[in-house]
Amino acid sequence: PVQIMFCTLNTHKVDMDKLLGAQIGLEDFIFAHVKGQRKEVEALKSEDMLGLTITDNGTGCAFIKRIKEGSLMDQIKTVCVGDHIESINGKNVSDYRHYEVAKMLKDLEKGQMFKLELIEPMKAFEMLEPRSQGRTLPEAKISKGRETLRLRTKGPATVEEMPSEAEEKAIKKVDELLETYMGIRDLELAATMVEAGRDKKNPDEFATALDETLGDFAFPDEFVFDVWGAIGDAKQGRL
């Protein structure tokens, strides 16, 4: 298990749009991507933003989910989507969550050299084709009456009813807001935030619920307000 970097649904390819997230359909097929070749990268931080979006597998493996086109890291071709960030300037970050790694990268001093130690996913099954009968995760979630396996960072996995169409749209929007504000993507976190706002009547109640469940994140007020707005927009059919 410690060799698993991340999992994808219904495809063996390193496809960040099909990552195993907080919920999976009971008929989905899971592919585990394990650690492969190690590599080192040294670069000059010539810009404030590196252009990386970081996520993690929930068990101490932060990896690159997206590289912004034209960014500093996009110019370093040895850095790839799916790479696990093992250390930053010699400091091992294997046990860090993705938001902690993102903050460390953001805090690197502009104008200074920095070094990353990365592990890329092992290349395998390159000749395989996707399942001909398989449904993608978004398609599976559209169907009515299906159950889903809800995976939680804390507590046991549970089989639950699929989120409503409005909740799915809210989760997607909150995931985008997480990237905008924090440089991370995390569908489990987004789903937890939407769940916290399910029966709340105003932003104050929602903020209190977030503090109770996700207080460690210390989300800024502006971000909380935008998340509340996204949940409201989804409920009113504006997304």
Side-chain angles (χ1 to χ4, degrees):
V2 297
Q3 292 299 313
I4 296 175
M5 297 172 62
F6 53 86
C7 297
T8 50
L9 293 175
N10 304 323
T11 178
H12 66 281
K13 297 180 180 180
V14 179
D15 188 337
M16 296 294 108
D17 292 326
K18 297 182 180 178
L19 286 175
L20 172 63
Q23 300 162 22
I24 61 174
L26 298 182
E27 298 176 2
D28 284 325
F29 199 87
I30 302 174
F31 287 84
H33 299 257
V34 299
K35 295 177 181 178
Q37 178 181 346
R38 281 179 161 79
K39 51 192 178 183
E40 292 186 2
V41 173
E42 289 192 63
L44 173 68
K45 188 178 183 184
S46 57
E47 304 173 9
D48 290 326
M49 304 297 291
L50 297 180
L52 297 179
T53 296
I54 310 299
T55 189
D56 68 42
N57 65 3
T59 58
C61 181
F63 58 92
I64 299 171
K65 183 171 184 178
R66 186 175 291 104
I67 301 175
K68 185 177 180 181
E69 185 176 355
S71 66
L72 172 63
M73 299 308 289
D74 186 42
Q75 300 171 32
I76 305 174
K77 299 309 178 184
T78 53
V79 178
C80 303
V81 168
D83 285 353
H84 164 46
I85 302 176
E86 186 177 45
S87 75
I88 301 173
N89 285 334
K91 181 178 179 61
N92 191 299
V93 295
S94 292
D95 294 329
Y96 286 46
R97 291 301 308 271
H98 54 301
Y99 52 87
E100 296 173 307
V101 174
K103 185 177 187 304
M104 289 181 66
L105 293 173
K106 185 177 180 180
D107 290 345
L108 290 172
E109 188 175 349
K110 185 178 180 180
Q112 299 294 317
M113 297 292 295
F114 65 94
K115 183 173 75 171
L116 302 179
E117 294 183 30
L118 308 168
I119 303 177
E120 67 180 32
M122 184 178 293
K123 302 292 191 298
F125 305 118
E126 293 297 331
M127 300 304 293
L128 285 182
E129 292 296 325
R131 294 167 61 202
S132 60
Q133 299 297 322
R135 290 176 292 177
T136 63
L137 182 59
E139 291 171 342
K141 287 187 175 182
I142 291 173
S143 63
K144 304 299 183 182
R146 289 190 60 205
E147 291 180 314
T148 181
L149 183 65
R150 177 71 188 275
L151 307 177
R152 303 177 187 274
T153 302
K154 298 179 181 179
T158 56
V159 176
E160 303 175 355
E161 289 296 320
M162 280 287 188
S164 67
E165 184 177 348
E167 287 177 331
E168 287 290 353
K169 291 180 178 180
I171 290 169
K172 181 178 179 181
K173 181 62 178 180
V174 172
D175 193 37
E176 294 172 355
L177 289 171
L178 281 168
E179 181 175 27
T180 299
Y181 278 87
M182 302 178 66
I184 63 173
R185 285 247 183 178
D186 189 328
L187 283 173
E188 179 188 353
L189 178 58
T192 300
M193 297 180 77
V194 171
E195 187 177 276
R198 181 175 292 162
D199 57 352
K200 302 303 178 290
K201 299 178 181 179
N202 55 61
D204 291 336
E205 288 185 4
F206 177 58
T208 299
L210 284 186
D211 285 340
E212 292 174 353
T213 57
L214 299 167
D216 291 343
F217 283 87
F219 294 121
D221 292 342
E222 182 182 2
F223 172 70
V224 173
F225 186 80
D226 283 351
V227 170
W228 174 253
I231 294 173
D233 287 345
K235 288 179 179 179
Q236 298 299 320
R238 292 192 292 266
L239 291 182

